[in-house]
């Protein structure tokens, strides 16, 4: 089985990617690979930040790896929090981040938003990128206790539940990360077929 390092310290993201990949590939987290670093995300786009993370791990290990960067883009807020989604109000404290988001949307009727994921794959020293988008709306209050990040205030188009009210299987029917991962898996599967 092809093993590949996932350049993240976020256990939730590892679990979510593994739930999509099933047993197609062996996903190794940074922790499992014995890598204990926080990779900076200094850029203004998801694409550049994803590339920074995969390039860093590839340079460190020389092994096939991938990373992803995800942002919540709210139309009425000029696509904020976007690339700063994890650090919108406070570094990785999503209660504070959600609080700020709802405050900024207070009195605004247009609640349209989208989650966007960009996966950067480093394979044999070459980079490939895959994008997944999930459109939906921001609720006026949080609901549900599953998921992470902004899941409690995001209802994907075609559902009446927030991501945080869904099981992993339900979330994967809509998920931006699932869409990007599906493209990524298809690419690797096609590549394996050519070997």
């Amino acid at each position: 089985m092809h093993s590949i390092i996932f350049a993240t310290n976020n256990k939730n993201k590892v679990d979510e990617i593994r739930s999509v990949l099933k047993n197609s590939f062996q996903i190794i987290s940074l922790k499992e690979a014995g890598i204990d670093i926080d990779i900076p995300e200094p850029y203004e786009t998801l694409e550049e930040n994803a590339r920074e993370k995969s390039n860093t791990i590839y340079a460190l290990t020389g092994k096939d790896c991938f990373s992803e960067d995800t942002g919540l883009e709210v139309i009425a807020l000029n696509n904020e929090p976007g690339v700063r989604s994890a650090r919108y109000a406070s570094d990785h404290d999503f209660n504070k981040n959600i609080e700020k988001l709802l405050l900024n949307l207070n009195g605004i009727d247009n609640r349209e938003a989208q989650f966007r994921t960009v996966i950067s794959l480093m394979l044999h020293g070459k980079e490939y990128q895959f994008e997944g988008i999930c459109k939906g709306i921001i609720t006026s209050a949080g609901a549900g206790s599953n998921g992470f990040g902004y899941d409690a205030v995001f209802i994907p188009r075609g559902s009446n539940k927030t991501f945080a009210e869904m099981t992993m299987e339900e979330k994967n029917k809509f998920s931006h990360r699932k869409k990007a991962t599906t493209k990524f898996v298809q690419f690797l599967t096609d590549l394996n077929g050519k070997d």
Side-chain angles (χ1 to χ4, degrees):
M1 188 188 294
H2 191 98
S3 65
I4 191 160
I5 297 171
F6 185 9
T8 186
N9 290 307
N10 185 323
K11 185 184 179 300
N12 291 307
K13 287 185 177 182
V14 174
D15 290 345
E16 205 168 288
I17 291 274
R18 282 178 174 155
S19 81
V20 176
L21 291 177
K22 307 287 190 231
N23 297 317
S24 317
F25 299 91
Q26 184 189 10
I27 300 300
I28 301 164
S29 68
L30 287 182
K31 189 177 179 183
E32 290 163 345
I35 300 166
D36 184 20
I37 58 169
D38 270 323
I39 306 163
E41 298 177 341
Y43 298 106
E44 292 302 310
T45 68
L46 298 175
E47 288 79 1
E48 289 171 299
N49 282 332
R51 180 179 296 124
E52 176 73 14
K53 290 185 275 191
S54 63
N55 278 343
T56 298
I57 296 306
Y58 187 79
L60 204 61
T61 65
K63 293 181 177 168
D64 293 342
C65 63
F66 72 100
S67 69
E68 63 89 60
D69 202 18
T70 294
L72 174 66
E73 300 172 340
V74 181
I75 311 305
L77 301 178
N78 296 317
N79 289 335
E80 281 188 7
V83 78
R84 291 186 178 75
S85 290
R87 309 175 295 282
Y88 193 40
S90 169
D91 198 17
H92 297 280
D93 182 337
F94 275 96
N95 290 327
K96 287 181 182 169
N97 290 341
I98 285 173
E99 214 173 279
K100 179 178 177 180
L101 177 67
L102 295 181
L103 192 66
N104 287 346
L105 278 172
N106 196 19
I108 295 175
D109 291 334
N110 181 3
R111 315 286 287 194
E112 286 179 57
Q114 66 179 24
F115 272 116
R116 194 162 69 87
T117 290
V118 175
I119 290 177
S120 167
L121 167 68
M122 285 295 291
L123 195 66
H124 313 309
K126 190 173 175 190
E127 192 213 14
Y128 305 87
Q129 288 199 348
F130 311 90
E131 182 189 64
I133 291 173
C134 175
K135 293 182 182 294
I137 58 161
I138 303 297
T139 60
S140 53
S145 56
N146 297 329
F148 60 102
Y150 296 92
D151 284 359
V153 294
F154 183 85
I155 297 178
R157 195 178 282 172
S159 176
N160 57 6
K161 288 182 180 179
T162 68
F163 271 163
E165 293 176 293
M166 296 181 182
T167 63
M168 188 77 85
E169 290 70 28
E170 288 174 313
K171 183 179 178 181
N172 279 340
K173 288 176 188 166
F174 302 97
S175 168
H176 43 292
R177 198 169 284 110
K178 163 82 161 54
K179 289 172 184 170
T181 305
T182 299
K183 292 177 186 174
F184 158 69
V185 170
Q186 191 58 56
F187 173 80
L188 287 175
T189 305
D190 290 348
L191 213 61
N192 282 348
K194 289 174 188 168
D195 288 349

